[in-house]
Amino acid sequence: MNFSDTDQEKAATESREEFILPSGCSDFDRRFAATLQAFENQPRPEVFAAAALASAATAQGRICVALAEFAEERGWVGPEAELLVAERWQAPPLDHWTKVLRESDVVGEPGSFHPLILDAEGRLYLQRYWRYEHQLASRLHEMSRGEVPRVATADILQSLTEIEERGMQLAVGQRAAVATALLRQLTVIAGGAGTGKTTIVACILRLMGEHCGSPGFRVRLAAPTGKAANRLAEQLHHARNTIDPDGRIDTILDQEPATLHRLLGGAPNGVHFRHDRQNPLPLDVLVVDESSMVDAALMAKVVEAMPAQSRLILVGDPEQLPPVEVGSVFGELVGDGANFSAAGANLLEEATGVPVPPVPRQPGRPGAPVRDCVILLDESFRFSTDSGIAALANALREGNAPRTFAVLDGDYADIEGIGDGEQMDAEARRRIRRGYQPFVEALAAGADPRDVLQAAADFRVLAVRREGAHGVVALNEMIEGELRAHGGLPPAAPWYAGRLVMVTRNNRTLRLFNGDIGVALPDADGRLKVFFEGSGQLRQVAPGRLSHVETVFAMTVHKSQGSEYPAVVIPVMTQHYAML
């Protein structure tokens, strides 16, 4: 039925014109709410506002809207809700609001098939997102209690001791992460940059190869993006030299890391996958890196496709940027960190040989048995706790913009603010030229493409946003101009030797993925090609075959997630307070 031609929709449209839209809601949210009203005999402003708010919540990455945040005398509770309250719109009392919603034709209780789902706690969902959350909660809870063939704690302790005897010292949290992965069906490993997450993945694979590596035992590695998958492969390659000298990992590792979309068997731009509950993935262990980037919909597809007795290991940094789409599953699982039950702590102590104190469960934290599956790595091996980078990271995690700028103005060896206005602009240009000088010298010397790419990877300019005076687009134009003016790049052209580019869309034919970085250089015959390196291999592609790339002397902070650079320049202005 075409509702745009019915009297019912016209009546709903006329009725909704009298309804006030909460601020923070877009025209799309208004249209969505109005469309739902076409299904009701008696359009109600309470339903209209709730539907618009539920739609707006998903646009902000939230899986539901808590009506209690709005149904107060002040109209809101908490900073997120404050953004959605209009001066003209006042939320009704919570009891009245939920009563009207439960009487609505478009709102149902959990498990029903209605456009909107209202649960007992007053959380309102769009149908599909309630379904994703329900599937995830049920399956992950089931996996947290799941039985898998356990490795004896004595064997785990012996293997950890042998790894350390080869010179790899493991922190308490790292030992606990390895043991948990060998003892449980679900493991969640959370840690910031430099806490050794990839090292732990290598240790886990090594011990699985040693204790679980029966014929046919299969481990797959995956990540949400091609760039993250390639980065995982490179990091594991380096870590294995120390941890796995006799190649035990090779006996169980099935293929190179893949994107989750490709692992599940998804068609390009499709939402359905070949692997699901009826056709599970052919594996025994799945390790997902950069799990903080995985949204609720994709994570639901992943857990649905896991075989009954397979292990799932989620690895990531909950403090990194959340998924682009709806639902921060990894962040919700991690909560405030590890809080082991008494039984869980005792089991880990047996397997690691170090005391693991139980933590009383706190409100808002994952409940048992999920709590025993979460490991928090809090010891950084990349920078000390009193460094400028650590101070800056803490200020940013707290959302404290004044403190952030105070750190930038502080006296640290590893971080420096360079003023503002013309002073900042001139100094930033000088720093950028100096940062890219090894890259320019490699170009001038006709160095091997690998060396040119490595020189480029040692420095990067990161921007808070794409557009604007200090956005990625303007910064790339400025950097090209600066390098060209000082003889570092040839004259301007669509493609030129030294152009640094990033792939912006997956291309399976060329085996290039969103986030891959390459450089344009002449090949042995003097023809311009674009060189990419991944998994230890160098590939070259004709520029004409690359339709989705952009210049990347500067990139957004979001695009840099999962990367490592010895030095960066980040233009940060006072007007970026909200984004900080």
Side-chain angles (χ1 to χ4, degrees):
M1 178 179 293
N2 186 351
F3 280 98
S4 63
D5 296 332
T6 65
D7 292 336
Q8 186 177 16
E9 202 235 350
K10 291 179 181 178
T13 301
E14 293 171 359
S15 297
R16 68 151 170 102
E17 293 297 335
E18 303 174 4
F19 300 156
I20 299 173
L21 188 72
S23 69
C25 297
S26 66
D27 186 60
F28 175 86
D29 302 324
R30 176 190 291 276
R31 292 175 180 273
F32 171 77
T35 299
L36 290 188
Q37 299 250 292
F39 291 87
E40 294 204 284
N41 292 325
Q42 180 62 45
R44 300 286 297 272
E46 295 91 343
V47 178
F48 178 83
L53 288 170
S55 176
T58 62
Q60 298 169 6
R62 294 185 295 153
I63 203 164
C64 67
V65 59
L67 298 180
E69 293 182 350
F70 301 92
E72 301 288 336
E73 291 183 4
R74 294 176 297 167
W76 60 274
V77 174
E80 290 182 342
E82 183 179 8
L83 299 176
L84 292 177
V85 177
E87 293 179 2
R88 296 172 54 217
W89 180 76
Q90 178 65 50
L94 184 60
D95 289 344
H96 169 75
W97 202 358
T98 56
K99 179 176 182 297
V100 171
L101 290 174
R102 295 189 196 286
E103 294 171 351
S104 169
D105 297 322
V106 298
V107 181
E109 61 184 14
S112 67
F113 194 75
H114 290 77
L116 299 174
I117 299 297
L118 181 65
D119 69 11
E121 285 73 36
R123 294 185 293 253
L124 187 68
Y125 298 77
L126 303 188
Q127 163 68 228
R128 64 182 296 213
Y129 291 114
W130 175 85
R131 189 170 68 252
Y132 289 144
E133 183 177 85
H134 177 71
Q135 290 174 349
L136 277 168
S138 299
R139 184 72 176 109
L140 290 175
H141 186 76
E142 176 185 317
M143 294 185 76
S144 71
R145 295 177 294 124
E147 290 293 329
V148 291
R150 282 186 175 180
V151 179
T153 55
D155 290 339
I156 296 173
L157 180 58
Q158 177 62 32
S159 294
L160 290 173
T161 302
E162 292 173 357
I163 287 176
E164 292 198 327
E165 288 175 349
R166 289 196 291 270
M168 177 66 70
Q169 294 301 310
L170 300 175
V172 174
Q174 291 179 311
R175 296 172 72 93
V178 175
T180 300
L182 293 170
L183 294 169
R184 300 189 179 277
Q185 187 175 14
L186 173 67
T187 303
V188 180
I189 304 173
T195 54
K197 296 187 294 295
T198 304
T199 298
I200 290 312
V201 170
C203 287
I204 291 170
L205 297 181
R206 159 72 193 189
L207 267 63
M208 283 186 171
E210 182 177 344
H211 298 291
C212 308
S214 58
F217 190 86
R218 296 158 296 180
V219 177
R220 289 300 307 269
L221 307 176
T225 66
K227 176 185 175 182
N230 287 337
R231 179 66 178 166
L232 176 60
E234 293 167 4
Q235 290 177 323
L236 278 176
H237 176 74
H238 294 302
R240 287 165 63 177
N241 292 333
T242 301
I243 296 171
D244 189 43
D246 53 356
R248 291 290 182 91
I249 293 177
D250 292 331
T251 64
I252 61 172
L253 198 57
D254 188 16
Q255 304 180 42
E256 287 291 314
T259 64
L260 288 172
H261 194 275
R262 186 173 185 181
L263 178 74
L264 292 170
N269 303 316
V271 296
H272 299 290
F273 297 95
R274 182 170 68 253
H275 293 290
D276 53 21
R277 187 176 291 271
Q278 283 70 44
N279 181 32
L281 290 162
L283 51 77
D284 298 284
V285 181
L286 174 61
V287 181
V288 181
D289 196 24
E290 298 290 355
S291 295
S292 65
M293 299 172 64
V294 184
D295 60 76
L298 184 55
M299 190 69 83
K301 302 291 185 182
V302 171
V303 300
E304 183 183 39
M306 293 294 293
Q309 287 194 310
S310 60
R311 289 178 170 92
L312 175 62
I313 303 172
L314 302 177
V315 184
D317 181 358
E319 300 295 344
Q320 285 190 338
L321 295 172
V324 175
E325 300 297 333
V326 177
S328 182
V329 179
F330 189 77
E332 292 294 328
L333 278 173
V334 173
D336 293 328
N339 54 116
F340 304 111
S341 67
N346 289 336
L347 186 64
L348 282 182
E349 187 168 339
E350 290 179 14
T352 62
V354 294
V356 180
V359 180
R361 185 187 173 195
Q362 301 296 323
R365 287 183 170 183
V370 175
R371 61 190 299 198
D372 288 326
C373 301
V374 179
I375 306 295
L376 182 62
L377 306 179
D378 54 8
E379 183 177 343
S380 175
F381 300 93
R382 191 172 300 168
F383 46 81
S384 63
T385 55
D386 59 352
S387 67
I389 292 177
L392 182 63
N394 289 334
L396 290 170
R397 275 196 291 266
E398 295 167 2
N400 190 330
R403 173 61 181 158
T404 297
F405 284 99
V407 172
L408 294 176
D409 292 336
D411 184 18
Y412 293 101
D414 57 342
I415 193 167
E416 181 182 359
I418 55 175
D420 53 19
E422 294 183 3
Q423 174 191 354
M424 183 196 77
D425 185 65
E427 180 64 13
R429 289 170 183 264
R430 188 182 71 80
R431 298 289 182 96
I432 290 170
R433 291 197 304 271
R434 187 174 70 185
Y436 276 121
Q437 187 60 32
F439 169 74
V440 169
E441 292 173 355
L443 288 176
D448 182 86
R450 289 186 176 87
D451 296 329
V452 177
L453 285 167
Q454 182 57 57
D458 286 341
F459 177 79
R460 197 56 43 90
V461 178
L462 304 180
V464 176
R465 53 177 50 161
R466 282 192 56 82
E467 307 298 334
H470 296 88
V472 166
V473 176
L475 284 169
N476 273 310
E477 292 177 357
M478 182 272 285
I479 295 169
E480 285 181 302
E482 283 290 312
L483 297 181
R484 192 167 284 125
H486 290 78
L489 293 178
W495 283 98
Y496 57 85
R499 184 187 177 195
L500 203 61
V501 297
M502 178 172 61
V503 176
T504 59
R505 185 178 299 181
N506 293 345
N507 187 322
R508 292 187 182 180
T509 303
L510 299 177
R511 292 184 295 121
L512 294 175
F513 301 97
N514 186 1
D516 284 352
I517 291 178
V519 62
L521 295 169
D523 64 8
D525 298 323
R527 293 174 298 188
L528 199 65
K529 297 291 178 65
V530 185
F531 291 84
F532 296 87
E533 185 177 18
S535 301
Q537 296 181 333
L538 187 68
R539 287 169 288 142
Q540 53 181 292
V541 181
R545 300 187 68 189
L546 298 172
S547 55
H548 298 286
V549 294
E550 62 183 28
T551 302
V552 73
F553 292 103
M555 65 197 302
T556 62
V557 173
H558 194 281
K559 282 288 188 180
S560 73
Q561 184 163 295
S563 300
E564 297 178 12
Y565 303 103
V568 297
V569 167
I570 309 177
V572 179
M573 312 301 291
T574 53
Q575 57 263 42
H576 292 157
Y577 262 46
M579 301 188 77
L580 291 174

